[in-house]
Amino acid sequence: MDISEVRERIVAAADELYNAKGIQAVGMDELRSVAGVSLKKLYAEFPSKSSIVMAVLEHRHKSWTEGLDATVQQAGGPRERLLAIFDYLAGWFCQDSFRGCGFINSFAELGAISPDVAEYARKHKESFQEYVARLAGEAGAPGYLAPQLAILAEGAQTTAAIAGTSDAAGQARQAAAVLIDAALTAD
Amino acid sequence: MDISEVRERIVAAADELYNAKGIQAVGMDELRSVAGVSLKKLYAEFPSKSSIVMAVLEHRHKSWTEGLDATVQQAGGPRERLLAIFDYLAGWFCQDSFRGCGFINSFAELGAISPDVAEYARKHKESFQEYVARLAGEAGAPGYLAPQLAILAEGAQTTAAIAGTSDAAGQARQAAAVLIDAALTAD
DNA sequence: TTGCAATGAGAACGATCGTTCTCTACTATG
DNA sequence: CATAGTAGAGAACGATCGTTCTCATTGCAA
C-alpha cells in the first residue's frame, strides 16, 4: 500500500464521516476503522486530528471548485455560465450524502475555537466570490452582480441543507436569472 | 432568587456562550460559572444539557422572530416591509456578538446526531419562510418571490458570518429590491 | 536460521465531558 | 437553643476523546 494512497484513504474516509456526522462526533478510532488503516499509520501520516481536518478542507475545496468549474465550462455563453453555478448546486443537493456546505458546517462547529478552520472557510468563500466575479465580468455585468449571485448560492446551500428540499437551487436559479438580466440591461 | 429567574439566567448565559464558542465547546461547569448558579440548581431546572440546548433554541427563535417583526412593522408599505427584512439583518450583523445564524450553526454542529435539534432548526426556517410568504402575499407578489427572498436572507447570514463583512445585508437588500420589482410588474 | 526493522491490534494514559454524590454551612421553625 | 432541612462548593464517577505505548507478529536480509 503506497504511502500517498494511505493519505488519500484517510482523507476520503474523514471527508465522508465528517460530512455525515460532524467533525467532533467522529473519533479517531472510527476514522481508523472506516479508512482501514492502523492507528499507527494514521498518526504517521498526520500529526493530529486538526491536521486531518485541514486536509479534508483542502480536499473539499479542490473537488468542489473543480466540479463547479467543469459544470460552468459546459455552458454556452457568459450568461449561461453564471446560471450554470446553480445547475451545479442542483446536482449537488440531490446527492444522498448532501448535508450542507462543508465549510459552513465546519465553520459553525470549529470556527470559534480554531482560527485555522475559520480562515480556511473564509478563503474558500472568498475564492468562490472571486470566481463568480470573474464570470460576471466576462458577461459584462456591473460589479454589484457577483456578490448578489454569491449570496443567492450561499442561501440555496443552507436552505437545501436544513429544509431538506433540493428545489432551493431551482428557486435560486430563477432569481439569479432575474438579477442577471436586470444588471445586464441597466448599463 | 425566583425559580423562573434562574431559568432565564441559565438560558441567557447558555445562549451567549453557545453562540460565542459553539455548543460542544461549552461545558456545564463554564455555563454554571457564567450563569452564576450552582450545579445543583442547574440540574434541578434542566434534566440534561440537551434540554438546555432546546431551551436556547426556543429562546433564540422567539427573540429573533420578535425582533424581525418589530423592524418590519415600522416600515411603511408592503414593499418596504419586505425590504425591512434586510434592514433587520443589517442591524443584526453589526452586533459584536454576531457569529452567524444560531440555527444554522446548531444544525451544523448537532443536526446529524440530534434529531431534535435538526427538526427545530427546520421549523425555525420554515416559520421564517412562511413569514416572508405572508409579507409577499400582502404585497400582491406571485408565489415564487418569497422563497427567493428567503434564500437571499439565508445567504446574507452565512456570508456575513464567514466573510465577516456586514455589507452582505446591503447587497442582499439591493438584490431583493430588484426581485420584488420584477415580481410585482410581472403580473 | 538468525537477527532486525516494521507493522498491527489494542491497551494505556491523561484530559475533559456530562452527571451525580458528598459533605459542610447556613437557615428557619419549634 | 436545638434540630431538621436546604443549598452550595466541589469531589467523584463513568464514559469518551485524542494521543502514545506495548508487545506480539511478520517479512526480510545476512
Side-chain angles (χ1 to χ4, degrees):
Chain A
M1 187 156 52
D2 196 356
I3 191 164
S4 70
E5 187 193 334
V6 172
R7 265 191 92 90
E8 283 174 18
R9 281 173 58 176
I10 294 171
V11 171
D15 194 0
E16 280 184 33
L17 286 170
Y18 292 168
N19 176 71
K21 310 173 68 175
I23 295 173
Q24 308 199 65
V26 176
M28 297 297 270
D29 204 60
E30 185 178 5
L31 173 58
R32 173 206 64 77
S33 162
V34 172
V37 301
S38 69
L39 215 49
K40 181 170 279 188
K41 261 200 161 63
L42 212 167
Y43 275 96
E45 203 67 34
F46 295 97
S48 65
K49 179 176 181 176
S50 57
S51 70
I52 299 178
V53 171
M54 296 307 295
V56 167
L57 292 185
E58 286 181 36
H59 177 254
R60 283 180 184 171
H61 172 72
K62 192 160 170 288
S63 68
W64 194 86
T65 302
E66 288 175 357
L68 171 65
D69 197 51
T71 303
V72 166
Q73 295 296 341
Q74 290 175 7
R79 181 179 179 277
E80 282 68 30
R81 276 200 286 276
L82 282 170
L83 289 173
I85 296 170
F86 299 91
D87 296 330
Y88 176 64
L89 295 183
W92 183 29
F93 296 168
C94 287
Q95 294 175 16
D96 285 343
S97 61
F98 176 73
R99 225 185 62 78
C101 169
F103 294 91
I104 294 173
N105 290 349
S106 56
F107 179 84
E109 200 171 349
L110 300 173
I113 56 181
S114 165
D116 290 343
V117 170
E119 184 180 333
Y120 204 97
R122 211 200 69 243
K123 291 211 171 183
H124 169 77
K125 296 303 183 186
E126 197 176 75
S127 139
F128 175 64
Q129 298 225 1
E130 288 170 3
Y131 182 80
V132 178
R134 188 160 4 114
L135 292 183
E138 291 167 1
Y144 60 77
L145 178 64
Q148 294 179 348
L149 297 184
I151 288 173
L152 269 180
E154 296 294 336
Q157 289 173 49
T158 65
T159 300
I162 297 189
T165 75
S166 60
D167 54 346
Q171 295 163 341
R173 196 196 137 103
Q174 289 189 359
V178 174
L179 293 176
I180 293 169
D181 292 341
L184 291 182
T185 60
D187 300 339
Chain B
M1 190 156 51
D2 197 356
I3 193 165
S4 69
E5 188 194 333
V6 172
R7 265 190 92 90
E8 284 175 17
R9 282 174 57 176
I10 294 171
V11 171
D15 194 1
E16 281 184 33
L17 286 170
Y18 292 168
N19 176 72
K21 309 173 66 174
I23 295 172
Q24 308 198 67
V26 176
M28 297 296 270
D29 204 59
E30 185 178 5
L31 172 58
R32 172 208 64 76
S33 162
V34 172
V37 303
S38 69
L39 215 50
K40 182 171 277 187
K41 261 199 161 65
L42 212 168
Y43 275 96
E45 202 67 33
F46 296 97
S48 65
K49 179 175 181 176
S50 58
S51 70
I52 299 179
V53 171
M54 296 307 295
V56 166
L57 292 185
E58 287 180 37
H59 176 255
R60 283 179 183 171
H61 173 71
K62 192 161 170 287
S63 68
W64 193 86
T65 303
E66 287 175 357
L68 171 64
D69 197 51
T71 303
V72 166
Q73 294 297 340
Q74 289 176 6
R79 182 178 178 278
E80 282 69 29
R81 277 201 285 278
L82 282 170
L83 289 174
I85 296 171
F86 299 91
D87 296 331
Y88 177 64
L89 296 183
W92 183 28
F93 297 169
C94 286
Q95 293 175 17
D96 285 342
S97 61
F98 176 73
R99 224 186 62 80
C101 169
F103 295 91
I104 295 173
N105 290 350
S106 56
F107 179 85
E109 200 171 350
L110 299 173
I113 56 180
S114 165
D116 289 343
V117 169
E119 184 181 333
Y120 204 96
R122 210 200 71 244
K123 292 210 170 182
H124 169 77
K125 296 302 184 187
E126 197 176 75
S127 139
F128 174 64
Q129 298 226 0
E130 287 170 2
Y131 182 79
V132 178
R134 189 159 2 112
L135 292 183
E138 290 168 2
Y144 59 77
L145 177 64
Q148 294 179 348
L149 298 184
I151 289 173
L152 270 180
E154 297 293 335
Q157 288 173 51
T158 65
T159 300
I162 297 189
T165 74
S166 59
D167 55 345
Q171 296 163 340
R173 196 197 136 103
Q174 289 188 0
V178 173
L179 294 175
I180 293 169
D181 292 340
L184 291 182
T185 61
D187 298 339

